[in-house]
Amino acid sequence: MSQIPLDLPHRAALDREAFFVSASNAEALAMVEAWHDWPAGKLALTGAGGSGKTHLAHVWAAGTGGVVVNAVDLTDADLPGMVDAGAVAVEDVDHLAAMANPRPAEAALFHLHNMLAGAGGKLLVTGKNAPSRWRLTTPDLASRLQAAGIATLGAPDDALIHAVIVKIATDRQLDLDPRLPPFLALRLDRSLASIADALAELDRQALAEQRRVTVPFARQVLSL
């Protein structure tokens, strides 16, 4: 008999130890960790969905004593308090373009940028593409963010895909057959977001059927 799986949240490990370094992200990591030397105290971190931007933003915040906030939440954020932290990571700035009225959030980001600059603080902003493609409606904000240096997380290589499969499985406390990571690495779409979706489905089905996640099970569930 199968059980109804509860959609329980799982906590992803976002510390530096859990950030696997490979050829696809080493350069971006080095630029983020060199935050003392950022020109004008700001950097844009770019990469596809699931490429590790959130993880790296949290690694940076932990190393600087800073804070992480999503761009769409800035209108309700304590901007002076964040400035007092001295370092702020603003995630998904490119998502502001999808808001019905992005101007309040853009205004908050503009003020945060200027307050941090005046206080000698550091600003990390993230998005899928370079700031020049973020379709911001506030020209002064757009020009300031386009002046930031850019660190790009590249397409994941084999080593990173394998490590991400193991990491997500560990985060979800999945009992994986050791043959499964290389099997999945060769067959799943080479997108970290797709890998996360696949592991989530395996987790859900394994809970429902009280099964261990093996190669035959994954082949069946994911139609591989």
Side-chain angles (χ1 to χ4, degrees):
M1 293 179 62
S2 64
Q3 299 181 5
I4 299 175
L6 299 176
D7 189 17
L8 298 174
H10 70 282
R11 181 184 179 189
L14 295 175
D15 56 15
R16 176 63 178 83
E17 184 178 353
F19 189 86
F20 184 85
V21 182
S22 76
S24 66
N25 60 25
E27 183 176 353
L29 173 64
M31 292 180 68
V32 169
E33 291 188 327
W35 55 273
H36 286 289
D37 302 320
W38 290 353
K42 54 192 173 185
L43 182 76
L45 177 62
T46 69
S51 61
K53 297 188 298 296
T54 290
H55 192 164
L56 191 47
H58 280 82
V59 168
W60 175 76
T64 59
V67 296
V68 181
V69 62
N70 195 283
V72 300
D73 297 326
L74 279 173
T75 52
D76 297 319
D78 175 14
L79 300 186
M82 290 193 291
V83 172
D84 287 342
V88 183
V90 181
E91 292 197 279
D92 301 327
V93 178
D94 53 336
H95 289 188
L96 294 179
M99 298 180 69
N101 179 17
R103 288 191 175 275
E106 288 188 9
L109 179 53
F110 181 68
H111 291 312
L112 176 64
H113 172 283
N114 291 344
M115 287 190 291
L116 279 169
K122 305 296 182 181
L123 175 66
L124 177 69
V125 289
T126 78
K128 290 183 179 179
N129 302 303
S132 60
R133 301 180 61 185
W134 287 353
R135 296 190 292 126
L136 298 172
T137 62
T138 307
D140 286 343
L141 173 63
S143 65
R144 282 162 173 75
L145 296 186
Q146 288 171 23
I150 298 177
T152 300
L153 291 163
D157 53 26
D158 290 342
L160 180 56
I161 287 175
H162 189 285
V164 166
I165 290 170
V166 173
K167 177 186 180 299
I168 294 175
T170 300
D171 289 343
R172 289 183 167 274
Q173 299 182 327
L174 275 174
D175 181 16
L176 285 190
D177 182 325
R179 295 170 295 180
L180 192 61
F183 173 84
L184 294 177
L186 291 173
R187 291 164 177 81
L188 293 178
D189 182 81
R190 298 182 72 83
S191 155
L192 299 189
S194 296
I195 292 170
D197 289 343
L199 268 293
E201 180 61 15
L202 288 174
D203 191 8
R204 190 182 73 82
Q205 292 290 346
L207 285 172
E209 300 180 27
Q210 293 295 289
R211 295 270 301 276
R212 188 183 185 214
V213 184
T214 62
V215 169
F217 181 74
R219 192 190 296 276
Q220 171 192 339
V221 171
L222 302 175
S223 301
L224 298 175

